[in-house]
Amino acid sequence: MKTYDIKDLSLAPIGKLKIEWAGQQMPVLKKIQKRLQEKKLFKGLTIAACLHVTSETANLMIALKAGGAEVVICASNPLSTQDVVAASLVKDYGIPTFAIHGENNDLYNKHLEQALDFKPQVTLDDGGDLIHLLHTKRKDLMKNIIGSAEETTTGVIRLKAMEKDKALKVPVIAVNDSDTKHLFDNRYGTGQSTIDGIIRATNILLAGKNFVIAGYGWCSRGIASRAKGMGANVIVTEVDNVRALEAAMDGFRVMKMVSAAKIGDIIVSATGDKGVISMDIIRILKDGAILANSGHFDVEIDMAGLKKAAKSKRTLRNSLEEYVLKNGKKVYILGEGRLVNLAAAEGHPAEVMDMSFANQALAIKYFLENRGKLENKVYVLPKKLDQEVASLKLQAMGISIDRLTKEQKKYLSSWDEGTK
Ligand code: ADE
């Protein structure tokens, strides 16, 4: 059986340094690694991960292996793999890795299968591709599965749809739904890394620009607040009344996409849904508008429609393509319409992935502790684990907080201490 398919093993020394640097910003994961390692809690377990192959993910893989597991990883997006990291995972850490930056869809899918060939008992997904494969082409492997953990909002939506249709055949933990994941990774992580991707690809000034963000979920809120912080005029588009109202009261202009498209200098979609920037929208854009997607799948911008409608296309910089429409209008696309924070930058900083991946490790531990007791449903980790992860992070940041007194605890749990 093949144990790796990566770009170039000789890149390993650069990858190792990058992994070590990220690891230094991941104290919570390190603490959990130590606990797993001391008792070899994952001994005998095979874990297949389909995650973005970054220096942060490498630290998760190393932690799981240190806990006694056999681990294998493949990419969760064709453009997010850091080839230097993939090389180091294989060469320095002996971790089977199937990921090449820029791989085509066929190779991407082959890599998923190669990871599953290791016959995992636990799978980790970012977007639900491994679990989808297990439920379709690789049903033969389902009997081995104890559980699967999902990292991202899009994947959780997919899994909840499976649960609703009674199509879900394994227990799943929605890691995304832990507070110490989405409140930090989705908001501050996506906020910073999306702006980072836009700037790396274009080197434009955000101050004074009309910056449109489609959606006002945790990711979009992070992007909106960071763009505002850089001096952009932020406009939010939404389909949900409550979220639209929140955006308005957070101080953003809220309007329909058809109106925002006419004035936006930069338009970012982070809704998790398809067809947000459709050809109808692309036709009415300002000349020279920049489009980016920060949702998991490359479905938010109608790239196929744009390619068909364009009379020419050229690459101006890394991750920056210019399309000229038949009427001469120019439209700029970042990272081929794939998630801009990983395609044009390096994804979220390690400090937030620290908590996301601590939750991934805790999800695996939860599967083992509850083996045989879980139904084929989408679960969320117990809230006490959020408290534990947050407490470890606060400790690492040197922050102490107050504790409730006995009287305060009693007051909060009583119902007859109202107006006296
Ligand atoms: N998702 C977003 N940013 C990431 C990162 N740095 N590593 C792994 N997955 C990510």
Side-chain angles (χ1 to χ4, degrees), residues 296-328:
H296 183 81
F297 289 118
D298 57 339
V299 293
E300 308 213 8
I301 304 172
D302 183 359
M303 288 303 299
L306 177 60
K307 282 176 190 159
K308 223 159 111 199
K311 68 174 182 193
S312 69
K313 174 191 152 189
R314 58 185 181 142
T315 301
L316 302 186
R317 294 163 55 101
N318 279 343
S319 307
L320 174 64
E321 279 162 349
E322 176 191 78
Y323 288 80
V324 183
L325 302 184
K326 296 198 176 103
N327 62 5

Side-chain angles (χ1 to χ4, degrees), residues 93-114:
Y93 299 98
I95 294 178
T97 303
F98 300 91
I100 300 176
H101 185 94
E103 61 196 12
N104 63 24
N105 285 353
D106 286 345
L107 188 56
Y108 175 82
N109 287 317
K110 185 175 166 202
H111 285 161
L112 294 176
E113 298 233 27
Q114 285 176 307

Side-chain angles (χ1 to χ4, degrees), residues 52 54 56-57 126 151 185 341-342 346-349 353 357:
H52 300 297
T54 64
E56 293 76 26
T57 307
D126 188 327
E151 171 79 4
D185 169 316
N341 58 342
L342 282 139
E346 293 173 69
H348 305 350
M353 296 317 295
F357 288 159

